[in-house]
Amino acid sequence: MKVVKFGGSSLASGEQLEKVFNIVVSDPERKIVVVSAPGKRYPEDIKVTDMLIACAEQVLEKGEAGEYVDDVIQRYSSIASELNLSQDIIERITDDLLQLLSDQSIKRDRFLEAVKASGEDNNAKLVAAYFQSKGVEAHYINPKDAGLIVSDEPGNAQVLPETYDHLYKLREKSGILIFPGFFGYTRSGDIVTFSRSGSDITGSIVANGVKASVYENFTDVDAVYSVNPNIVKNPKEIKELTYREMRELSYAGFSVFHDEALMPAFRAEIPVHVKNTNNPDAAGTRIVNERQNQNGPVIGIASDGGFCSIYVSKYLMNREIGFGRHLLQILEEFGLSYEHLPSGIDDISIILRQNQLGFGSEKDILQRIKQELKADEVKIQHNLSLIMVVGEGMRCNVGTMARAAEALAQIGVNIEMINQGSSEVSMMFGVNETDEKKAVNALYEEFFAGVTV
């Protein structure tokens, strides 16, 4: 049994939905289809989820949705018209959405969660109706009925363990099952969403629950690329990479998956296959526990901007018990989370996303660190980009760090910070944001020129 997930671009129009249908019915193993809300049809278009958020905020502010609700319904209606579907399904979607928007008994955060989730929920109903119109046995599955139970953390729901036993029962159902992504239900019955791009998370959870042979994730690219194609022209495609490599690359800026999306599939050791809805015959990229192809030490390079570094120096810091704990406690008291913590014997750098800092809080943080820890030097550096060089092969290749540093030196890029994870699967370089693209190109040339990934 395969679980197949389609993203918003794959479901944005009737033409795209026809492709989805043909892909699903071409393989009898594709039994469960996880769907996103309709995405953009063209670059300037608006995603249905964004329209729903605006709709919910309008209701909360003015007591009525106005033209927003019409726009949302029109998107579904347009898809249905392209596919010559009966208006019955649009009437059902309209009734369900209007009923949801008129429920004034729901608390504000619950209301927002429910309205956001309706994008995927109503799209699953539409997709099931289309499959049925083509003479295929298909059923819309409500996550509550399926037993997808999550923690009560709006916008950041975590799946609860009993979910997997509940979902396994889906194997007993006949036909193709259409499952909405992005949300689940708390034990008390409230709708709670995952983080944005959460339909990937749903697909991974369902694949784990039903013990799928493969989790196929269809998107709008032929494969996962070794580097951002907006930075490097025509980068090499990755045929196969490990979960650990994908996690590192996703965290560092790869947009194919949310960085936690694959964890449920990883825990169940289910391979993930990334494929293109618009070119389903392309080989795609497989994500596995262990890969056979070890062609070179590096599998991918990712980068992301918007970071800053708080540098703290104190002579004999390494002998001072509790120094690190006290430093992190100050950050915690300001509500800050850090990303990396490279250190030496007398200094330490705290890397965090600089959008967490306001000018007032920044001054207070630096002052507290200086006074309470009696540091010799405390300073902050803004506008850093972090570049992650990732590959399982680095563990058995000597000199990878030296090659990377030399490549950056050759083009005159100053390395502000270096950090390597204990797993030796990734190494990270901090550079000025203005040097990010130049640095990524240099690293790509160093590790991928003449290499088949």
Side-chain angles (χ1 to χ4, degrees):
M1 174 185 286
K2 294 180 180 178
V3 170
V4 194
K5 181 263 176 181
F6 291 94
S9 62
S10 300
L11 299 161
S13 67
E15 179 184 3
Q16 289 297 95
L17 189 43
E18 286 187 73
K19 296 176 186 178
V20 167
F21 174 79
N22 291 328
I23 289 168
V24 173
V25 299
S26 69
D27 185 346
E29 287 295 301
R30 292 173 175 143
K31 297 288 289 181
I32 301 179
V33 181
V34 176
V35 300
S36 298
K40 292 184 177 183
R41 296 161 292 185
Y42 44 87
E44 298 77 23
D45 201 10
I46 302 174
K47 296 179 180 180
V48 163
T49 300
D50 292 328
M51 296 165 67
L52 285 164
I53 292 171
C55 184
E57 290 174 345
Q58 174 97 341
V59 170
L60 290 169
E61 182 181 345
K62 299 183 178 180
E64 59 179 29
E67 72 279 5
Y68 288 112
V69 69
D70 297 329
D71 293 341
V72 172
I73 293 170
Q74 177 56 37
R75 284 294 299 275
Y76 291 110
S77 183
S78 173
I79 295 171
S81 296
E82 287 183 61
L83 300 171
N84 297 314
L85 289 180
S86 164
Q87 281 300 301
D88 291 348
I89 183 60
I90 298 304
E91 290 175 5
R92 179 184 178 187
I93 290 172
T94 301
D95 290 344
D96 289 350
L97 182 56
L98 290 178
Q99 182 178 353
L100 174 61
L101 293 172
S102 65
D103 190 349
Q104 301 300 315
S105 65
I106 308 177
K107 292 181 180 178
R108 178 185 176 87
D109 61 337
R110 303 295 183 196
F111 179 77
L112 287 169
E113 290 288 276
V115 175
K116 278 195 298 183
S118 70
E120 277 74 9
D121 197 45
N122 284 324
N123 208 31
K125 298 168 189 172
L126 178 63
V127 172
Y130 175 56
F131 276 49
Q132 292 162 5
S133 76
K134 301 286 284 186
V136 172
E137 183 185 0
H139 307 280
Y140 156 76
I141 301 295
N142 184 285
K144 185 176 185 179
D145 297 334
L148 203 172
I149 309 301
V150 298
S151 61
D152 194 355
E153 299 173 81
N156 191 36
Q158 305 295 311
V159 65
L160 298 185
E162 62 263 35
T163 289
Y164 298 113
D165 290 335
H166 299 159
L167 292 175
Y168 189 77
K169 297 174 184 176
L170 293 176
R171 296 180 66 97
E172 302 168 4
K173 293 186 177 292
S174 62
I176 295 171
L177 311 182
I178 313 297
F179 201 109
F182 189 39
F183 71 98
Y185 286 80
T186 66
R187 287 175 175 146
S188 58
D190 294 313
I191 291 174
V192 182
T193 63
F194 298 113
S195 54
R196 288 297 290 265
S197 302
S199 292
D200 289 332
I201 301 174
T202 301
S204 187
I205 291 168
V206 173
N208 180 315
V210 301
K211 302 296 180 278
S213 58
V214 177
Y215 167 34
E216 294 182 318
N217 193 295
F218 279 82
T219 180
D220 55 5
V221 293
D222 280 349
V224 176
Y225 294 105
S226 53
V227 70
N228 186 341
N230 293 320
I231 296 178
V232 176
K233 288 186 177 181
N234 302 315
K236 296 182 184 297
E237 296 178 357
I238 301 175
K239 297 176 182 176
E240 190 175 61
L241 73 165
T242 67
Y243 283 110
R244 194 196 310 258
E245 289 168 334
M246 189 71 231
R247 167 82 166 95
E248 296 275 3
L249 290 168
S250 295
Y251 160 76
F254 264 40
S255 59
V256 177
F257 286 109
H258 180 281
D259 64 342
E260 298 178 5
L262 298 183
M263 286 306 298
F266 166 71
R267 291 188 178 114
E269 298 186 0
I270 297 169
V272 177
H273 200 172
V274 180
K275 293 179 70 68
N276 189 351
T277 304
N278 302 312
N279 186 19
D281 293 331
T285 299
R286 285 174 56 82
I287 305 170
V288 295
N289 270 348
E290 295 183 11
R291 61 182 172 92
Q292 301 302 313
N293 179 13
Q294 295 289 346
N295 192 357
V298 176
I299 194 71
I301 301 168
S303 62
D304 197 12
F307 293 92
C308 66
S309 170
I310 299 176
Y311 173 80
V312 183
S313 174
K314 185 178 182 182
Y315 186 59
L316 299 179
M317 178 192 296
N318 64 315
R319 298 187 187 179
E320 190 169 328
I321 296 173
F323 188 94
R325 176 194 57 76
H326 193 167
L327 177 59
L328 294 180
Q329 184 180 345
I330 293 173
L331 294 186
E332 181 181 353
E333 289 174 7
F334 280 91
L336 302 177
S337 61
Y338 71 92
E339 305 289 329
H340 300 278
L341 208 66
S343 64
I345 58 171
D346 289 331
D347 56 21
I348 188 169
S349 293
I350 308 152
I351 311 302
L352 61 161
R353 293 195 179 271
Q354 63 188 15
N355 60 9
Q356 298 181 86
L357 295 173
F359 179 71
S361 63
E362 180 179 312
K363 290 178 62 179
D364 292 342
I365 292 165
L366 298 182
Q367 186 175 22
R368 279 195 59 185
I369 293 173
K370 180 82 172 177
Q371 291 178 347
E372 295 182 22
L373 295 176
K374 297 179 172 56
D376 298 326
E377 183 180 9
V378 182
K379 62 182 181 181
I380 188 166
Q381 183 174 0
H382 294 95
N383 303 320
L384 292 176
S385 286
L386 299 185
I387 301 173
M388 194 80 79
V389 178
V390 176
E392 298 270 7
M394 288 194 291
R395 289 186 290 193
C396 51
N397 278 265
V398 176
T400 307
M401 179 73 78
R403 287 177 62 186
E406 176 64 20
L408 296 179
Q410 288 291 334
I411 59 167
V413 170
N414 185 48
I415 301 172
E416 305 292 344
M417 179 200 61
I418 297 177
N419 193 25
Q420 182 166 25
S422 58
S423 65
E424 297 183 33
V425 173
S426 66
M427 54 188 180
M428 183 189 66
F429 299 92
V431 302
N432 192 287
E433 281 186 339
T434 57
D435 290 329
E436 178 184 342
K437 291 184 178 181
K438 183 166 64 170
V440 169
N441 273 279
L443 291 169
Y444 180 82
E445 185 67 22
E446 172 65 30
F447 290 108
F448 289 98
V451 172
T452 302
V453 180

